[in-house]
Amino acid sequence: MNYQFDFGWLFEYYPQIVKGIAITIELIAVGGVAGISLGIVCAWVRALGPAWLKPVVAAYVELIRNTPFLIQLFFIFFGLPSLGLQLGELQAANLAMVVNLGAYSSEIIRAGIQATPRGQFEAGASLAMSPFETFRHVVLVPSLERIWPALSSQVVIVMLGSAVVSQIAAEDLTFAANFIQSRTFRAFEAYIVSTAVYLLLAILLRQLLAMVGWAIFPKRAAR
Amino acid sequence: MIEFTTWDILRNLLLAARWTVVLSLVSFVGGGIVGLVLLFLRISKRKSARAFAKYYIELFQGTPLLMQLFIAFFGLGLFGIDVPAWLAAGLALILWTAAFLGEIWRGCVEAIGKGQWEASASLGMGRLQQMRFVILPQAMRIAVPPTVGFSVQVIKGTALTSIIGFVELSKAGTVVTNATFQPFTVYGLVALIYFALCWPLSKSSQILERKLNVAHRNH
C-alpha cells in the first residue's frame, strides 16, 4: 500500500466540520425531545387511549418501523411537496427524525407502561385521580425509568441514522465529510475523521442521557 | 414525453427489490458467521480476545452504517483494489450485522445459568464441547426472536447501499423518480415494498417471542 495519509486539509476545512457537528447536534436535540414526546403520546394511545385511535397509531408505528429511514426521508422531502407541503432540507430532516423516533420510542415506552402493576392504576383511581392524572403522575415516570436504558440506545441509534440526511443536502457532519472529499479527494481521511467524531458524539450522548436519567429519576441515583 | 403507468413503476421497483433481498441474505448469513466468531471471542477466557470483540462491537455500533459503507468503499481502494459497489456494500453490511448479532447472542448465552457451565465442566467437557452440546442449544431458543427481529434492521440497512451506488430498491426508487417525476407515488411504493419484506419478519419475531418467552418466565 503506497498511500500517503494526509490530514493537512483539517486546518482549512475545520469550520465545515464544526458546522456539520452543530447541525447534527441540533437535529438530534430537536428530534430527541420531540420524538420522545410523540412516543409518549402514541404509547398512551396504544396502552390506554380511545379504541378508535389505537389502530391508527398502530399502523403508523408498524409502517415506520418496517421501512428504511432513508425512504421516509425521501418521501417527506421529495414526495410531500406534491401534496402541497414543501419543506426545507433541515425541516424535512427534523420531521423525519421526529416521526422515526416517535414510532420506535412509543413501542419502548408502551412496554414500560404495560409492565406497570395493575395496583398502581387502581391506587390512582382510589385517590380520585382521573385516568389522565393517574397516567401523568403515577404511571408515566416509573414507566420511563424502567425503559430509560432502552430509550437512550434508541436515541443514539437515531443520531447515528441521521448521517443519512446529507442525502437531501441537509448540511450535517456527513455532508461536511462529502464536501471535503469532493474538494480534497482525501476521501478516506475525511470519512475516518467524521467517523471518529460520530463515535465520540455517540459516547457523549450516551453519557448525557444517563445523566438526564439520574436527574429525572433521583430515586435510582440514591440506590 | 413518455407516460409511465403505476404498473411500469411497480414492475421496475420489484425487479430491483431482488437485489435488496439478495444483499440482505448475503449480509445476514455472512454477518451470522462473523457474529458467531465474535460471540466466541466475546466470551473467551483470554482477556485480549474479549477486549477485541468488545471494541469491535463498540466501534460498529457507535458509528453510522453510512460511514462504514463510505470507508469500505473508499478505504479498500487504497489497497489498489478496484472496489465495485456490491463488494463494499456486502463487506460493510456483513461486518455491521456481525457486531449486532454478536452482541445479541452474547446476551442470550449469558442468560444461560452458571450452573449449566459448571455441570458440563464437571462432566469433563472442553470449552467447545460445552458450547456445542450444552450452552448453544439452550441459548438458541432465546436467540431466535431477537435474531429474526434484527433481520428487519439488515433489510432496512441495505437501503443505505444505494448511496454508494449499489442499485437496489432505494436506488431504483431514485432512478425511477428521475424518469417519471412522480416522487410521491414512487417512494410510496418503495416504502410499501420494504414494508412487505420487513413486516412478516417483525410479526413473526413478536409471535416467536411470545411463544418462546423463556427469558422472562422466571421473573
Side-chain angles (χ1 to χ4, degrees):
Chain A
M1 195 170 97
N2 295 315
Y3 187 82
Q4 295 291 316
F5 286 99
D6 177 6
F7 290 94
W9 51 267
L10 263 176
F11 297 102
E12 198 183 333
Y13 287 100
Y14 79 89
Q16 266 86 6
I17 295 183
V18 171
K19 188 186 168 207
I21 295 173
I23 290 187
T24 294
I25 291 176
E26 188 254 65
L27 283 173
I28 192 56
V30 174
V33 173
I36 292 176
S37 311
L38 178 63
I40 291 174
V41 174
C42 291
W44 174 77
V45 169
R46 287 196 80 183
L48 310 160
W52 60 272
L53 207 53
K54 278 182 190 174
V56 180
V57 174
Y60 152 68
V61 170
E62 289 297 313
L63 198 61
I64 296 299
R65 279 163 49 93
N66 288 298
T67 50
F69 179 60
L70 182 67
I71 297 302
Q72 295 160 14
L73 190 69
F74 281 176
F75 188 79
I76 287 173
F77 189 66
F78 297 118
L80 286 189
S82 53
L83 294 187
L85 185 64
Q86 190 108 35
L87 295 168
E89 61 274 0
L90 271 183
Q91 290 168 312
N94 263 324
L95 180 62
M97 286 175 73
V98 171
V99 167
N100 189 276
L101 183 61
Y104 278 95
S105 61
S106 90
E107 278 295 274
I108 298 173
I109 297 167
R110 184 169 72 121
I113 293 174
Q114 283 173 343
T116 308
R118 274 219 69 76
Q120 298 282 325
F121 291 94
E122 289 158 2
S126 75
L127 291 171
M129 284 178 165
S130 72
F132 181 77
E133 284 171 329
T134 309
F135 177 74
R136 159 85 182 69
H137 297 290
V138 182
V139 178
L140 184 59
V141 173
S143 303
L144 282 180
E145 181 175 359
R146 219 168 280 140
I147 50 84
W148 192 252
L151 196 58
S152 305
S153 308
Q154 191 60 45
V155 174
V156 173
I157 288 173
V158 169
M159 191 274 281
L160 296 175
S162 79
V164 170
V165 303
S166 57
Q167 293 308 304
I168 58 166
E171 300 182 14
D172 74 331
L173 181 53
T174 309
F175 186 90
N178 285 333
F179 177 80
I180 291 166
Q181 82 98 3
S182 68
R183 287 293 179 88
T184 63
F185 301 108
R186 292 286 166 187
F188 191 65
E189 290 93 325
Y191 292 126
I192 284 288
V193 168
S194 42
T195 303
V197 175
Y198 271 113
L199 184 61
L200 191 70
L201 283 178
I203 293 169
L204 289 178
L205 183 58
R206 225 171 275 156
Q207 297 292 330
L208 177 74
L209 287 167
M211 285 195 284
V212 170
W214 292 327
I216 316 181
F217 317 115
K219 251 190 340 182
R220 166 175 286 195
R223 250 179 257 150
Chain B
M1 201 183 119
I2 316 164
E3 285 293 317
F4 293 94
T5 62
T6 310
W7 168 240
D8 287 330
I9 297 174
L10 185 63
R11 199 185 43 187
N12 282 298
L13 292 178
L14 284 174
L15 284 174
R18 290 179 307 176
W19 292 106
T20 292
V21 174
V22 170
L23 186 60
S24 304
L25 284 174
V26 168
S27 312
F28 193 70
V29 173
I33 295 167
V34 182
L36 199 61
V37 175
L38 274 179
L39 167 69
F40 274 92
L41 291 176
R42 192 76 177 78
I43 57 174
S44 148
K45 275 186 181 147
R46 300 179 70 155
K47 210 174 166 192
S48 56
R50 283 205 307 270
F52 170 80
K54 189 175 158 235
Y55 287 122
Y56 176 97
I57 290 167
E58 179 80 25
L59 185 66
F60 278 84
Q61 293 194 347
T63 57
L65 175 59
L66 182 58
M67 283 294 154
Q68 295 163 23
L69 284 163
F70 279 145
I71 289 177
F73 192 55
F74 291 103
L76 282 179
L78 299 186
F79 294 94
I81 314 167
D82 183 26
V83 198
W86 62 264
L87 182 65
L91 186 72
L93 274 169
I94 285 174
L95 296 179
W96 176 79
T97 307
F100 281 86
L101 285 181
E103 189 67 359
I104 292 172
W105 292 342
R106 178 182 72 102
C108 299
V109 165
E110 286 184 351
I112 304 301
K114 214 170 146 45
Q116 299 286 331
W117 285 100
E118 289 164 356
S120 49
S122 75
L123 292 173
M125 285 182 173
R127 189 98 173 144
L128 272 181
Q129 285 176 315
Q130 285 178 300
M131 283 294 274
R132 162 78 183 78
F133 294 107
V134 180
I135 305 299
L136 283 186
Q138 301 180 70
M140 253 148 61
R141 250 179 92 81
I142 320 173
V144 171
T147 306
V148 175
F150 185 72
S151 65
V152 175
Q153 308 294 327
V154 177
I155 295 178
K156 291 191 293 178
T158 61
L160 296 191
T161 62
S162 63
I163 297 172
I164 58 167
F166 182 72
V167 182
E168 37 65 80
L169 184 48
S170 299
K171 186 74 181 176
T174 310
V175 172
V176 173
T177 302
N178 291 341
T180 61
F181 305 110
Q182 298 177 17
F184 188 82
T185 316
V186 175
Y187 288 123
L189 286 173
V190 169
L192 285 181
I193 297 174
Y194 273 113
F195 185 80
L197 289 173
C198 295
W199 193 70
L201 289 168
S202 301
K203 211 66 203 161
S204 40
S205 163
Q206 283 168 15
I207 293 170
L208 282 168
E209 185 159 348
R210 235 167 284 146
K211 262 194 178 161
L212 315 167
N213 200 345
V214 248
H216 298 285
R217 199 167 280 164
N218 301 326
H219 290 266

